[in-house]
Amino acid sequence: MTRPSTTRRRTTALAALATVPLLLSACSTGNEESSTGEAGEPADECVIGMTQINQTAAFFTQMNEGAQEAADEAGCELQIANANNDAAKQNSDIENFVSQGVTGLIVVAIDVNGVLPAVEQATQAGIRSVAIDAELEDGAVDTFVGVDNEAAGTEAGQWVVDEGLADGASYGIVDARSSFIQNQREDSFRTVVDNEGATFTQAVDGENVQEQAATAAQDLVTAQPDLDFVYTTGEPATVGAVAALDADADTKVIGWDLTAEVIAGIDSGLVTAVVQQDPKQEGVEAVNELAAILDGEEPQGFIDVPITIVTSENVDPYREIFQ
């Protein structure tokens, strides 16, 4: 997508680590629907429907909290529908939002291609839309909010190279095959480290669910006992790998998304580095962007929420968030 320069600057929490403590704690740990409204009610000036992948991963519950805080501040009604990792249900949820007459739509897509017909239906109904985390095809929504996942995977791979961890190393991957963005993170990371002398052995599918990821990680290290590191492409995979490996294992973890368990892994030496996003700020930015668009402002097209690579040297500011 063409990404115009930002004309309305907003604060981003990860722009400096000093602001990290302002990040959120998770708003929910269940699979319940959150902030739902009644079908058939007339739309207010700012009624936002948000279709979320699941409400078990801390990453998504943090995103929800940021969106809710911004909606309260902006005077918008926010309705959050939990797709529970089901792409068909996500499409149905968007169709329900259209029927309810929401004025704005936030899409956290499971399948960036499969969701397009439902998003197009919303657009045809005059609903303005923003995508978070997973970028849809050019023109599908007004603005994309999040990380450039391909570039971030490259950055993570370059960090591994710069730290001298690639040349001569063998590694495996715990991924989520159904996740377009996690595939981007995997492919771009591999390109960098493989070109610098690392040897890829095997990838296993954690299915974006912690329990499955733990089993997949255990299968990986059983099949490949001499790995130098495991690269994990999302929170469930990272938590699962930490659960599957011994703290004193020679195989280390390099991956995405902090949790309390992952911070404990950093402390024990099991986890070498984690790519940390700012999901709460993504939720804030998405709601603020929709509120601005509904108020007559031009869409920004792309709002970048930077990443930080977290290691033992800079993990301390995150402890309060995930305790």
Side-chain angles (χ1 to χ4, degrees):
M1 112 176 2
T2 300
R3 295 174 174 171
S5 59
T6 299
T7 58
R8 303 190 307 277
R9 300 295 297 264
R10 301 189 181 102
T11 303
T12 337
L14 284 181
L17 279 175
T19 63
V20 168
L22 296 178
L23 295 173
L24 73 220
S25 58
C27 66
S28 170
T29 56
N31 286 321
E32 71 282 0
E33 300 286 340
S34 167
S35 302
T36 54
E38 295 295 327
E41 288 185 351
D44 294 329
E45 183 178 2
C46 181
V47 181
I48 298 172
M50 180 174 180
T51 173
Q52 183 58 273
I53 291 176
N54 67 56
Q55 296 194 78
T56 54
F59 181 85
F60 298 130
T61 58
Q62 289 172 3
M63 187 185 293
N64 292 352
E65 183 175 340
Q68 187 64 64
E69 289 182 5
D72 292 343
E73 180 70 21
C76 296
E77 178 187 347
L78 178 67
Q79 304 174 17
I80 303 177
N82 176 16
N84 201 23
N85 301 309
D86 185 336
K89 183 178 185 304
Q90 184 163 67
N91 286 339
S92 178
D93 289 338
I94 295 173
E95 292 168 358
N96 288 338
F97 284 140
V98 174
S99 297
Q100 292 170 23
V102 300
T103 53
L105 176 67
I106 295 174
V107 181
V108 190
I110 298 169
D111 180 348
V112 295
N113 295 314
V115 78
L116 290 176
V119 172
E120 175 62 22
Q121 180 181 346
T123 300
Q124 291 175 351
I127 298 169
R128 308 307 294 263
S129 57
V130 168
I132 302 181
D133 194 42
E135 186 172 5
L136 305 186
E137 70 176 26
D138 189 23
V141 297
D142 289 294
T143 296
F144 168 60
V145 177
V147 170
D148 183 332
N149 286 281
E150 184 174 355
T154 297
E155 184 176 341
Q158 191 59 51
W159 183 90
V160 170
V161 170
D162 293 344
E163 293 295 311
L165 302 175
D167 189 21
S170 65
Y171 71 100
I173 296 175
V174 182
D175 57 22
R177 307 284 167 78
S178 64
S179 171
F180 178 81
I181 61 173
Q182 292 193 40
N183 291 334
Q184 287 183 307
R185 297 168 184 175
E186 177 176 343
D187 293 344
S188 56
F189 177 88
R190 282 195 57 190
T191 296
V192 174
V193 298
D194 290 359
N195 286 342
E196 296 295 332
T199 299
F200 168 71
T201 60
Q202 182 180 355
V204 293
D205 188 1
E207 300 180 21
N208 221 22
V209 177
Q210 181 178 324
E211 292 77 12
Q212 282 88 324
T215 300
Q218 186 60 63
D219 291 343
L220 173 63
V221 296
T222 298
Q224 309 286 345
D226 298 322
L227 296 177
D228 292 288
F229 66 88
V230 173
Y231 177 61
T232 56
T233 58
E235 179 192 318
T238 307
V239 175
V242 168
L245 295 173
D246 294 331
D248 59 354
D250 291 334
T251 302
K252 305 303 178 184
V253 176
I254 298 169
W256 284 71
D257 301 329
L258 289 172
T259 66
E261 298 90 340
V262 175
I263 290 175
I266 291 175
D267 293 339
S268 72
L270 174 61
V271 178
T272 302
V274 174
V275 178
Q276 180 61 12
Q277 304 172 83
D278 187 350
K280 179 178 183 179
Q281 191 64 26
E282 291 180 350
V284 168
E285 296 285 3
V287 169
N288 285 346
E289 174 72 349
L290 277 175
I293 292 171
L294 293 172
D295 199 37
E297 296 191 37
E298 286 297 315
Q300 296 187 59
F302 174 59
I303 299 173
D304 184 23
V305 182
I307 64 165
T308 298
I309 296 180
V310 179
T311 68
S312 59
E313 295 181 356
N314 62 349
V315 69
D316 285 345
Y318 295 91
R319 295 186 188 278
E320 182 178 351
I321 304 167
F322 296 101
Q323 64 185 0

